[in-house]
Amino acid sequence: MAGSGCQSVADEAASVSGVSKVLLADNEAYGNGIAENVCELVEKNLDGVTHVLASSTNSGKNVLPRLSAKLDAAQISDITGVDSEDTFERACYAGNAVTKVKTSDAVKLLTVRGTAFEKAASEGGSGSVEDASLPDSPDVGLTSFVGEELAKSDRPELASANTVVAGGRGMKSGENFKILETLADKMDAAMGASRAAVDAGFCPNDMQVGQTGKVVAPDLYIAVGISGAIQHLAGMKDSKTIVAINKDPEAPIFQVSDYGVVEDLFKAVPALEEKL
């Protein structure tokens, strides 16, 4: 664990069941997650380590490939299952097939699709917190943090929300996404979109769900005006309950949905909202 001012997070992680030790590196050099700095830190703390796991997020995908190159070890990306200590499962062909990958590298480097695994117990552990700071300057000096622009929203974060309301090209315009916003607010849901809606300029890229967007697995996923291209299904088909609203009865989205509403979305969504 690396980051400035993260002692409380380390204490919390140490209490999670199954965690025996937390390495804490508390330094400003890690405050903005600069990949070169974090990679150097992880590499210097690999003594006795056989597996390095990172989430399949921008951060994990930024750090682990660098570590892979430095160790000359293969990285197995976006795993969805663990068969043994050296064999792992990952989806391919937009989620239509599962590949089993076996590695003989001394250190296994894995990025993990968080939505494919149950949440760990949040208490019951007794892990210790140990210092992992580097003796020399932790700033590698290859990259510097300039600034960031964060999209602020009162809605839940898309990747971890329990409920997601997503719109597709059938919304016809960005202005029409307002009817989904009203529905999402009533349900305390996150907002999502298909790539077609994003490419059409209806909504920002950070709302995209799918193979080239975010992979989600909420308790409830409501797909509105989304035809169900295979790339989109790869990002949401593991949702616990899928509700599809589309006026085309032949839309592929109905093949994976638990409940389907064949109706004009501009009639169905307001009717659904009235019932809430």
Side-chain angles (χ1 to χ4, degrees), residues 81-102:
V82 178
D83 281 14
S84 68
E85 64 179 19
D86 62 359
T87 306
F88 309 93
E89 297 178 3
R90 64 184 304 274
C92 60
Y93 300 115
N96 285 307
V98 175
T99 302
K100 289 190 177 181
V101 183
K102 185 173 183 177

Side-chain angles (χ1 to χ4, degrees), residues 51-84:
H51 295 72
V52 178
L53 285 72
S55 58
S56 290
T57 58
N58 289 340
S59 177
K61 294 174 183 177
N62 205 3
V63 173
L64 243 61
R66 288 176 163 81
L67 188 60
S68 172
K70 297 188 77 170
L71 298 180
D72 193 23
Q75 175 190 314
I76 303 177
S77 301
D78 205 27
I79 68 165
T80 57
V82 178
D83 281 14
S84 68

